[in-house]
Amino acid sequence: MSLEELFKEIIIEHYQHPKNHGHMEHPDAKSEGSNPLCGDELQMELCFDGDHIKDVMFTGNGCSISQSAASLMTEAIKGKTLEETRGIMDEYKKMLQGNSYDPDILGDLEALSDVRKYPARVKCASLSAAVLDQALQQKK
Ligand code: ZN
């Protein structure tokens, strides 16, 4: 199996069986965003424990890229410190912008690396980072 095929499988798997999908009872932060160009919508809820992201959940509608990116992003940041989360988001943005990035930091999020070849889809993949960014700004 080529790396490209493996990446496609990861995206399809997360689209069909999203992780951390749903709502939590008492989120510390909530945010939402949309990508009207594609019709993608995303809501994220976060729960903090000190400087850690204790829990994160999302709901949304839209294309496979936007929804699998949200699932992969929640998996990547769950249990991480805010600083680690910022690092993951930075590498993710670098990857989508076509810059060099650190695959060790991104883990499975690297499955979305081919998206940068399709500028219209970059907004689909970026939505999860934008919504997460808003939620993190609510951290007191
Ligand atoms: Zn989309």
Side-chain angles (χ1 to χ4, degrees):
M1 191 188 287
S2 71
L3 195 58
E4 195 171 302
E5 285 168 335
L6 176 69
F7 285 168
K8 263 187 204 154
E9 279 210 355
I10 292 174
I11 291 170
I12 291 167
E13 173 64 22
H14 276 264
Y15 179 56
Q16 292 177 338
H17 307 285
K19 309 272 189 188
N20 309 308
H21 194 266
H23 294 280
M24 59 182 75
E25 271 187 45
H26 303 290
D28 294 320
K30 251 178 165 180
S31 63
E32 58 182 7
S34 63
N35 169 26
L37 291 174
C38 181
D40 305 319
E41 292 176 355
L42 209 60
Q43 299 86 36
M44 255 190 212
E45 296 176 2
L46 273 84
C47 188
F48 301 108
D49 180 11
D51 275 344
H52 282 78
I53 293 176
K54 190 177 171 190
D55 201 8
V56 51
M57 294 196 91
F58 84 97
T59 52
N61 289 296
C63 70
S64 58
I65 299 293
S66 67
Q67 303 304 307
S68 63
S71 175
L72 283 157
M73 182 62 82
T74 58
E75 279 286 275
I77 66 165
K78 202 171 175 176
K80 297 285 197 304
T81 65
L82 294 178
E83 201 182 331
E84 287 167 335
T85 300
R86 292 271 175 215
I88 291 166
M89 287 167 71
D90 284 348
E91 293 304 313
Y92 185 67
K93 285 173 191 167
K94 278 191 224 166
M95 178 180 82
L96 293 179
Q97 286 162 0
N99 298 319
S100 60
Y101 59 90
D102 185 342
D104 291 340
I105 291 176
L106 285 173
D108 276 355
L109 276 171
E110 198 190 5
L112 292 152
S113 57
D114 280 348
V115 168
R116 60 185 166 174
K117 295 178 195 160
Y118 311 97
R121 310 310 300 277
V122 169
K123 283 197 187 306
C124 303
S126 303
L127 181 59
S128 54
V131 171
L132 175 60
D133 209 20
Q134 284 177 42
L136 290 178
Q137 283 171 22
Q138 295 168 28
K139 172 92 172 81
K140 287 161 198 100

